Amino acid sequence: MSGNEYEFTIKRKDDHGKVSYSDYSVPKDRISTVFEGLLYIKENLDQTLSMRYSCTMEICGSCAVEVNGKPKMACSTIASSLKTDKIRVEPIRHFDVIKDLVVDLDSFFDKYRKGLPYIIREDYGDYSSELLQTPEQFQKYEQYSMCIKCGLCMAACPIVGTDEDYLGPASLTAVLRYNLDSRDEGGKYRLEAIGTEEGTSRCHYAGECSEVCPKGVDPSSAIQKLRWQVFKHEISGLIRGRRK
Amino acid sequence: MGGGLAGLRAAIAAVESNGEITVGLVSKLYPLRSHSVAAEGGTSAVLDPEDNFDLHSYDTIKGSDYLADQDAVEEFVKLVPEQIYTTDHWGCPWSRAEDGRISQRDFGGLSFPRAVFAADKTGFHVMQTLYSRCLMYDRIHFYNEYFATSISVDSNRFNAMTTINLRTGEYTIFQSKSLILAAGGGGRMYRFSTCAHSTTGDGDAIAYRAGIPLKDMEFVQFHPTGLVPSGILITEAARAEGGYLRNSEGKRFMEHYAPTKLEEAPRDIVSRAMMWEIEAGRGVRGGYGNIEYINLDLTHIADKLEERLPMITDIARKFNNIDAAEGPIPVRPATHYTMGGVSVGIGTETVVPGVFGAGENASISIHGANRLGSNSTNECLALGNVAGKKAAEFASSHGIPDLNHDKIREEEKRLWEDIMRRDGGENVAAIRSDLGHTMDVNVGVFKTGEKLESAIKTIYELKERYSRISIQDKSNVFNTELQWALEVGYMLDLAEIVAKGAFERKESRGAHYRKDFPKRDDDNFLKHTIATYTRDGPRLEYSPVRITKWQPAERVY
């Protein structure tokens, strides 16, 4: 911690799939965040480094990487907070690496879409006035609406790592977010869409997802609540079935 | 082109207005990474019976320093309320009163508290809402991380858009019956900016090079409260909710510059006031090297931070280790928005039939010389909706033109036989950094003829250096150095237009302030600047401002 430079080690992958590690020294007085370190490297030391970034204020979700073994947003990770001069940056786990720190997020967004993450209402197309929703009703789903789709929870989840069909924390949290919205009428469709093998039943409540979420969304609690919704939905389905 | 607020809104409008339409949404990012997600404070809409459309129009026009086209503004404000209700039905968590109705708050330059908001994450929540709505339609095809390099216009019709699929490096051509330009602004031509690194004016530059004129590019907005040293946006709502600006003596100073509205004056006025204070030696110096700044004091409204300003409170803590309830936030004017853009009419149409523009990419002009805070996200919604419908209408009565292969090959050669093979040793990032520096210093809040001449000279030098770049990354997959190079090319063109337009506009109006011409000059400059591409740089012409019922008057707040 006494030197004037951070020692960055970055995991690389080239066009041909060859994996390697590159080391760079970055002056401490030139950067504050890990993202700034990566940008310093790309601007000054090695133009061939590829990474994603955009807003640099932790709201666009672009710059998810693994820093010293933990999934983090590069833009909001203050380098000095790592308490070491050695900064190891790798792509997040559980996604195919396209190049260097850039991973393929298509599977993330495909899974996200499976839970019908949008408001479903019967009054389609009539937008002449507002719908009422009290602050209390909003608070039911507020936390779950803050997801920035960065993928950190998926990278941290041990089940996502071993079971590629598992929908994962982000998608399931989105299901709950819409199910808890007082303006929504589509809960049953969502529960049917996810009430399969790939849904809540696979979660082991390890809680890693909630630990890494940069926005305090707490997907683990969302999945617990959602599992209860799925359970109630299945029971009522059985009862309806018997009455037939 | 573009997957931010305007692009997503347009895509939904197109598919909902016509059951046969399919939309290709082409973005260099995943859509949710677009900088619209960073919009914070609010979006103005006339919802309260005590408010009215004329008042919203008047505020907007006065805010624009009378450069807005008044017929367009009057039309625009009427379109907004339905968009608020629409996004409410689609799930946007607008902040509400206890009775469940949508709340509204004050904002800079408003004569009525009409800014609808979702805490201080307005853009984020509206983006999630629109993206979620898009997912209902299989007819919206996402082409994520395709970087647009050009559009070609042939026989006065849109012919094709050329892109690089970043994931593979493949040169990929898109054709369609109509095209909507919704790629945002170009704020990153400056260095100290609230804009995302991706805000590089691609849509403006690509349209300009294809012969579509740009309007009023010299009007660049500086947001008063860019966080020092990063430039991250600290919302105007912080002041609208009661925050104070204080100089190095700990004194509030806005009463000298805007005696009535004080900290809630429009952005151009507040930014200048801050810079005058700094120039007078009353800037604060602290733990940020040589940067002088102003303190934004929220300590007396600490009770509002959690509910109304949670994001900026979090940002101050995470990025500057400051507890906003306990101490001031260091801020300084930062480049935020380009009022200019592709010249379009009220129906979002450009000079090329079938090509439309919306959002920051376009200039109707509603914002004139200075956009009011809370008037951009609503524009994306209202005009994005118009653009989507118009583009669908155009598409339903036109076919796809035959591909102009010559233009496609010409562009392919430019990319791989020219740009990629240049070998003069110049570093793209260094050119970008030098451009940002000269724009910050010479084309900033205070301009002079001398500074602008110096900027233009520097931009020429940078263009010359740009002809000698060397791209070190020779790979195909995710070659972001090539992407940087193309973006820097766009920004050099735009910077030239901004600086030249500013040099020729020998007056001060809205965000454009010339120390050597400190007064507004309606006799000579109540007109739009129209920049058209030529091989030798932009040709500047002027077009009249449309005035309906508000005659230009002195602008006092």
Side-chain angles (χ1 to χ4, degrees):
Chain A
M1 284 297 287
S2 53
N4 297 322
E5 291 179 331
Y6 290 115
E7 302 301 329
F8 275 75
T9 299
I10 300 178
K11 190 173 184 182
R12 311 290 302 272
K13 182 182 170 190
D14 71 11
D15 274 20
H16 312 291
K18 190 169 157 273
V19 174
S20 61
Y21 288 86
S22 301
D23 297 322
Y24 309 95
S25 298
V26 176
K28 286 185 179 176
D29 60 358
R30 294 292 298 273
I31 68 156
S32 165
T33 64
V34 169
F35 159 71
E36 287 167 5
L38 296 174
L39 187 66
Y40 179 89
I41 292 164
K42 185 165 171 72
E43 286 188 335
N44 301 287
L45 307 177
D46 185 351
Q47 283 73 38
T48 67
L49 177 66
S50 289
M51 70 260 190
R52 286 198 186 98
Y53 63 96
S54 183
C55 76
T56 70
M57 55 189 280
E58 203 197 65
I59 191 72
C60 79
S62 296
C63 62
V65 289
E66 199 170 284
V67 181
N68 290 349
K70 295 208 172 91
K72 284 178 182 295
M73 302 311 289
C75 74
S76 58
T77 302
I78 307 293
S80 60
S81 75
L82 297 170
K83 311 286 181 207
T84 169
D85 290 349
K86 295 194 187 308
I87 302 178
R88 185 183 174 90
V89 187
E90 295 167 277
I92 52 172
R93 295 174 193 212
H94 306 160
F95 295 98
D96 294 335
V97 178
I98 294 172
K99 186 187 175 195
D100 297 344
L101 302 175
V102 179
V103 299
D104 186 347
L105 286 169
D106 282 355
S107 66
F108 175 91
F109 285 101
D110 289 348
K111 285 179 180 179
Y112 180 75
R113 192 171 190 163
K114 277 194 179 161
L116 315 182
Y118 37 78
I119 294 280
I120 297 171
R121 289 178 61 84
E122 303 295 330
D123 65 348
Y124 184 86
D126 175 17
Y127 307 129
S128 52
S129 64
E130 68 187 294
L131 302 169
L132 298 181
Q133 182 170 71
T134 64
E136 204 183 331
Q137 288 173 317
F138 169 52
Q139 277 159 17
K140 289 206 167 93
Y141 71 90
E142 179 179 11
Q143 184 177 22
Y144 307 124
S145 70
M146 299 300 173
C147 170
I148 59 173
K149 283 82 183 170
C150 61
L152 289 186
C153 59
M154 305 288 273
C157 174
I159 315 300
V160 172
T162 55
D163 183 348
E164 63 176 30
D165 293 330
Y166 175 47
L167 289 174
S171 323
L172 294 173
T173 301
V175 170
L176 186 75
R177 177 255 174 270
Y178 286 98
N179 280 6
L180 292 180
D181 192 319
S182 59
R183 296 165 294 187
D184 180 71
E185 299 165 355
K188 59 176 185 287
Y189 304 113
R190 260 177 235 110
L191 294 177
E192 267 153 33
I194 61 144
T196 55
E197 280 286 279
E198 295 83 27
T200 55
S201 58
R202 298 207 185 177
C203 171
H204 294 180
Y205 303 112
E208 277 96 337
C209 51
S210 299
E211 217 168 285
V212 301
C213 177
K215 292 294 166 185
V217 170
D218 197 2
S220 181
S221 81
I223 297 171
Q224 286 194 42
K225 288 183 192 171
L226 190 62
R227 185 181 276 183
W228 179 239
Q229 285 194 355
V230 171
F231 176 70
K232 282 197 295 188
H233 179 73
E234 282 171 354
I235 294 290
S236 67
L238 284 176
I239 294 167
R240 273 200 308 274
R242 271 190 202 157
R243 280 183 189 154
K244 269 180 198 168
Chain B
M1 182 196 304
L5 281 175
L8 294 178
R9 185 67 193 89
I12 298 164
V15 296
E16 292 194 348
S17 67
N18 183 328
E20 305 287 305
I21 291 285
T22 57
V23 174
L25 201 144
V26 180
S27 170
K28 67 175 174 179
L29 306 162
Y30 281 92
L32 287 178
R33 314 303 187 213
S34 305
H35 199 49
S36 299
V37 291
E40 293 178 353
T43 200
S44 269
V46 175
L47 302 182
D48 192 306
E50 305 278 305
D51 195 9
N52 66 62
F53 291 132
D54 268 1
L55 217 49
H56 189 184
S57 294
Y58 172 69
D59 289 346
T60 302
I61 289 159
K62 184 180 172 188
S64 81
D65 219 345
Y66 295 90
L67 195 70
D69 288 315
Q70 299 187 1
D71 52 351
V73 175
E74 288 191 79
E75 181 70 22
F76 157 67
V77 298
K78 288 180 203 153
L79 296 175
V80 179
E82 193 197 11
Q83 295 304 314
I84 304 302
Y85 297 144
T86 303
T87 45
D88 177 27
H89 282 249
W90 294 350
C92 185
W94 295 117
S95 290
R96 313 262 176 171
E98 285 303 321
D99 65 0
R101 305 196 59 175
I102 294 172
S103 297
Q104 292 183 283
R105 70 173 160 207
D106 207 357
F107 232 70
L110 302 189
S111 54
F112 190 89
R114 77 168 67 86
V116 176
F117 59 102
D120 57 355
K121 294 185 165 192
T122 304
F124 171 78
H125 283 302
V126 183
M127 277 292 288
Q128 307 300 317
T129 303
L130 295 183
Y131 180 71
S132 76
R133 186 76 182 176
C134 284
L135 296 183
M136 292 178 74
Y137 297 100
D138 292 336
R139 290 183 287 129
I140 299 174
H141 302 275
F142 290 98
Y143 295 94
N144 302 325
E145 302 190 321
Y146 283 78
F147 181 84
T149 71
S150 76
I151 59 171
S152 59
V153 172
D154 191 17
S155 313
N156 205 31
R157 275 287 309 279
F158 166 60
N159 190 271
M161 169 162 58
T162 60
T163 70
I164 299 170
N165 178 351
L166 292 172
R167 192 169 297 195
T168 59
E170 280 167 314
Y171 185 53
T172 308
I173 315 303
F174 289 89
Q175 277 204 291
S176 59
K177 294 162 183 167
S178 47
L179 170 71
I180 300 167
L181 298 162
R188 269 285 154 181
M189 67 182 102
Y190 289 75
R191 205 191 277 178
F192 189 64
S193 170
T194 66
C195 295
H197 287 262
S198 53
T199 313
T200 49
D202 307 9
D204 286 338
I206 285 171
Y208 167 71
R209 290 175 182 180
I212 299 175
L214 303 183
K215 185 191 287 168
D216 292 338
M217 289 299 289
E218 66 269 33
F219 295 100
V220 175
Q221 180 163 76
F222 303 93
H223 195 291
T225 53
L227 181 65
V228 172
S230 57
I232 293 175
L233 175 65
I234 300 296
T235 177
E236 181 165 318
R239 283 170 286 128
E241 295 288 353
Y244 298 147
L245 294 170
R246 296 186 189 276
N247 60 24
S248 61
E249 297 163 1
K251 289 187 181 140
R252 290 177 70 190
F253 51 81
M254 280 309 299
E255 64 179 315
H256 305 299
Y257 305 95
T260 313
K261 295 294 272 184
L262 302 171
E263 277 90 347
E264 289 181 65
R267 290 173 178 170
D268 56 333
I269 290 169
V270 180
S271 285
R272 271 194 294 281
M274 292 167 71
M275 294 309 292
W276 288 123
E277 288 295 308
I278 289 171
E279 285 204 350
R282 294 189 288 274
V284 187
R285 277 174 185 272
Y288 306 101
N290 289 326
I291 309 174
E292 288 185 84
Y293 55 89
I294 294 294
N295 277 325
L296 174 65
D297 181 1
L298 307 178
T299 54
H300 57 290
I301 55 164
D303 58 321
K304 286 187 178 181
L305 298 179
E306 194 186 334
E307 188 213 330
R308 297 241 162 164
L309 302 165
M311 180 152 94
I312 58 141
T313 306
D314 190 44
I315 285 169
R317 185 176 51 77
K318 274 192 181 152
F319 292 91
N320 286 44
N321 198 23
I322 287 172
D323 178 354
E326 297 289 328
I329 301 174
V331 292
R332 196 184 151 90
T335 308
H336 182 62
Y337 188 88
T338 39
M339 268 69 77
V342 172
S343 183
V344 299
I346 297 178
T348 73
E349 70 283 3
T350 67
V351 293
V352 178
V355 178
F356 304 86
E360 193 178 349
N361 201 158
S363 177
I364 288 184
S365 160
I366 286 167
H367 311 305
N370 175 62
R371 176 176 70 76
L372 286 187
S374 79
N375 257 352
S376 68
T377 42
N378 55 3
E379 187 197 4
C380 290
L381 290 170
L383 279 308
N385 184 40
V386 171
K389 285 181 183 168
K390 295 266 181 188
E393 204 177 288
F394 187 92
S396 62
S397 58
H398 291 80
I400 291 180
D402 294 336
L403 186 63
N404 183 326
H405 291 275
D406 290 345
K407 289 201 171 176
I408 299 301
R409 270 191 294 268
E410 200 180 305
E411 175 65 4
E412 192 174 17
K413 274 189 185 167
R414 182 180 79 92
L415 296 173
W416 280 281
E417 287 170 34
D418 175 12
I419 304 271
M420 273 302 277
R421 287 194 194 165
R422 289 181 192 183
D423 191 21
E426 284 286 347
N427 177 342
V428 170
I431 295 174
R432 183 174 61 197
S433 177
D434 291 351
L435 173 66
H437 179 73
T438 198
M439 295 302 281
D440 278 359
V441 172
N442 293 319
V443 200
V445 174
F446 295 138
K447 305 170 180 76
T448 63
E450 209 176 318
K451 282 184 167 188
L452 291 166
E453 276 181 320
S454 156
I456 293 165
K457 187 165 158 276
T458 304
I459 292 164
Y460 286 152
E461 286 162 11
L462 293 174
K463 283 195 162 193
E464 192 280 321
R465 279 168 60 191
Y466 186 72
S467 70
R468 294 186 284 109
I469 54 171
S470 293
I471 294 176
Q472 308 295 326
D473 191 345
K474 301 296 177 195
S475 68
N476 291 317
V477 177
F478 237 89
N479 187 335
T480 43
E481 196 194 7
L482 172 60
Q483 182 184 341
W484 278 8
L486 297 170
E487 288 170 343
V488 169
Y490 297 151
M491 292 193 290
L492 285 168
D493 278 4
L494 297 181
E496 182 185 7
I497 302 166
V498 171
K500 286 184 171 170
F503 180 77
E504 292 302 331
R505 188 172 280 277
K506 297 180 171 65
E507 65 155 355
S508 290
R509 182 186 298 273
H512 169 74
Y513 190 88
R514 291 275 301 256
K515 276 190 169 175
D516 43 355
F517 298 97
K519 293 264 185 271
R520 196 174 80 198
D521 178 358
D522 287 338
D523 292 339
N524 294 303
F525 288 103
L526 183 58
K527 58 189 182 184
H528 297 295
T529 306
I530 305 290
T532 309
Y533 176 85
T534 78
R535 290 181 74 98
D536 309 317
R539 184 177 70 237
L540 300 183
E541 290 157 314
Y542 295 89
S543 73
V545 173
R546 295 191 299 275
I547 288 171
T548 56
K549 49 185 164 189
W550 295 280
Q551 288 305 313
E554 199 190 344
R555 198 163 155 252
V556 182
Y557 287 95

